[in-house]
Amino acid sequence: MQQPPPESPSLVEKRDAENILGTYKRTSFHPRAGKGAKLVDAEGKVYWDLLAGIAVNALGHRHPRLVKALREEANRLLHVSNLFYHPAQGLLAERLTQLSGMPRVFFCNSGTEAVEAAVKFTRLAAPGRSRMLALEGGFHGRTMGALALTGNEAYRKPFEPLVGETIFLPANDVVALESAATPDTAAIFLEPILGEGGIVPLTREYARAARAAADRVGAALVFDEIQSGLGRTGHLFVFQEMGVAPDLVTLAKPLGGGLPLGAVLVSERIASLVKPGHHGTTFGGNPIACRLGLETLSEIVDGGLLEKIRETGEWFGKKLRNAQKRSKGAIVDVRGRGLIWGVELDRDAAEVQNALLKKGFVVGTSRAKVLRLLPPYVVPRPALSGFVRALEEILREPPKEKIS
């Protein structure tokens, strides 16, 4: 069958505006193809992708291993009910338990679903408790349970009252954490690196204090590694890098190789409490997504990518900090490691994001003044060097307007 001709960007935007619910403020960018860490738009212009679908496309675009697996799975069953067995789900769970040291996995479709499941599982571990601790600026999703844990009042306010009571704490403030953890606390939810909160890494001291506080009051410790996990820091799991054993870990984004797939890793204590009927999903753990998950994990772990991410991250961090020194205050701070970085500016990050797009670099933002960089793990160093040069050129111009 002949493929329909590609539609013009203006027609695509018009149809979206007329038919799609307005939950997104889209950028006028129309990616149509890609390979590795490159994207090509509808006009044929090539870009370096330094966002990876917000940390989803960890292996870049059209990775041969994923393309081959997808073609093979397309000739098999596209869906199998979770009332029955299919091999890929157990194989992926087995690999995750072996790599994480956590004994059980629950599969779902997304990060927010993983957080919802984690909230329910922590309730099983603390009957009668509904009070949770989370971080100011933290992000865990937009469904009602996940939103209750998200430390951005603008996201929460229109939908209150939410689920349970959440106390929001400043990141890395051990004193505030220890004071807030009381015997009525059910769970402590932490992003080890705040993503939407500005790429703010938690310290090892803080993570260990959270483990001790949870143990002291009988609460569950949950690490949300949806954005920072599965290799992004140069370690497969951030909790292993920090030397802390959480009770639950939520995963998603790169897990399905580009298809929707989320997961919750749970400790033996939590696993022993979950019974048939406590939770479920129709689509979670889809055969194709799980097969792509297996291939993605194998490529990250067995393909030498973790070492490459660590080395590239150390090199890139030095380049960013050198740019900061030369920026005359335009770059306020640089935070991150591996291939997750936040560049805090003295101006509106969206303004700089758009200027970078014109120069051929796709980046994200985090908070009003932070550029968010989440490139594919296969990104070449020349792409990152080019980004730094382009950023410095843009920042030589004064900001259009200051924001408070």
Side-chain angles (χ1 to χ4, degrees):
M1 178 182 289
Q2 187 175 3
Q3 293 294 318
E7 294 185 318
S8 69
S10 60
L11 179 59
V12 171
E13 291 184 19
K14 180 176 182 293
R15 185 181 292 117
D16 276 23
E18 292 175 350
N19 297 283
I20 294 179
L21 192 65
T23 55
Y24 303 107
K25 185 178 179 181
R26 297 195 197 274
T27 299
S28 188
F29 175 52
H30 294 259
R32 293 289 182 270
K35 180 70 175 176
K38 290 183 178 180
L39 283 171
V40 182
D41 71 8
E43 308 299 329
K45 181 178 177 180
V46 179
Y47 302 76
W48 285 115
D49 181 6
L50 305 186
L51 187 60
I54 315 182
V56 171
N57 300 309
L59 301 184
H61 305 282
R62 290 173 54 215
H63 191 283
R65 186 167 187 164
L66 298 187
V67 171
K68 179 176 182 291
L70 189 58
R71 285 174 174 159
E72 291 173 357
E73 292 299 322
N75 290 315
R76 298 172 183 162
L77 295 174
L78 300 185
H79 171 75
V80 175
S81 167
N82 278 312
L83 297 174
F84 312 122
Y85 291 98
H86 70 78
Q89 195 174 108
L91 287 168
L92 180 56
E94 180 181 58
R95 193 80 202 273
L96 285 168
T97 59
Q98 290 171 344
L99 291 167
S100 69
M102 301 188 76
R104 294 288 186 276
V105 182
F106 170 79
F107 288 114
C108 50
N109 303 284
S110 66
T112 195
E113 287 183 43
V115 172
E116 290 284 338
V119 170
K120 288 181 69 175
F121 298 158
T122 63
R123 293 287 182 89
L124 288 174
R129 303 189 200 181
S130 61
R131 188 171 182 265
M132 298 178 287
L133 305 183
L135 297 180
E136 296 171 358
F139 183 84
H140 299 282
R142 297 178 189 270
T143 52
M144 293 298 278
L147 187 59
L149 295 162
T150 291
N152 185 326
E153 187 176 6
Y155 292 164
R156 297 193 314 270
K157 193 70 175 175
F159 305 102
E160 292 175 343
L162 296 168
V163 178
E165 176 194 12
T166 302
I167 305 299
F168 292 102
L169 306 171
N172 292 321
D173 187 332
V174 172
V175 173
L177 170 67
E178 291 176 342
S179 176
T182 61
D184 61 349
T185 301
I188 302 171
F189 278 78
L190 304 176
E191 286 179 277
I193 301 176
L194 275 69
E196 291 218 1
I199 313 299
V200 179
L202 298 186
T203 65
R204 286 177 172 81
E205 177 194 13
Y206 189 82
R208 290 166 183 167
R211 177 70 274 172
D215 291 340
R216 174 171 56 82
V217 301
L221 177 61
V222 185
F223 264 35
D224 180 337
E225 297 201 18
I226 291 164
Q227 186 167 144
S228 59
L230 296 174
R232 183 135 305 266
T233 65
H235 296 79
L236 193 61
F237 300 103
V238 190
F239 76 86
Q240 293 175 330
E241 177 187 356
M242 300 181 90
V244 171
D247 299 290
L248 304 98
V249 178
T250 57
L251 303 171
K253 290 195 181 292
L255 181 60
L259 292 186
L261 185 62
V264 187
L265 311 181
V266 301
S267 67
E268 194 63 63
R269 179 174 76 93
I270 300 296
S272 69
L273 301 171
V274 181
K275 308 301 179 188
H278 276 154
H279 201 51
T281 169
T282 297
F283 292 103
N286 171 272
I288 300 179
C290 284
R291 170 68 191 282
L292 293 189
L294 275 167
E295 301 295 339
T296 299
L297 268 182
S298 294
E299 188 67 20
I300 292 170
V301 175
D302 304 326
L305 282 180
L306 293 175
E307 183 178 0
K308 180 189 176 194
I309 292 165
R310 289 194 295 271
E311 292 174 350
T312 301
E314 184 177 354
W315 168 85
F316 187 42
K318 289 177 181 176
K319 289 193 75 71
L320 289 172
R321 293 185 181 102
N322 287 335
Q324 180 184 3
K325 293 173 184 176
R326 295 189 295 265
S327 73
K328 299 180 180 179
I331 297 177
V332 176
D333 196 13
V334 171
R335 298 182 293 269
R337 59 184 179 271
L339 289 176
I340 175 169
W341 290 93
V343 181
E344 186 167 351
L345 307 174
D346 68 344
R347 63 197 70 187
D348 186 354
E351 169 193 328
V352 178
Q353 176 191 35
N354 290 331
L356 284 163
L357 189 63
K358 291 176 183 177
K359 288 180 176 289
F361 296 92
V362 180
V363 304
T365 62
S366 175
R367 302 192 313 205
K369 296 184 179 181
V370 179
L371 293 177
R372 176 165 40 168
L373 305 174
L374 300 162
Y377 300 166
V378 296
V379 66
R381 291 191 181 187
L384 300 175
S385 293
F387 161 79
V388 173
R389 287 193 299 271
L391 178 62
E392 290 190 276
E393 289 173 6
I394 292 165
L395 294 179
R396 289 191 190 109
E397 298 294 325
K400 292 180 180 178
E401 61 179 82
K402 295 284 184 179
I403 57 176
S404 56

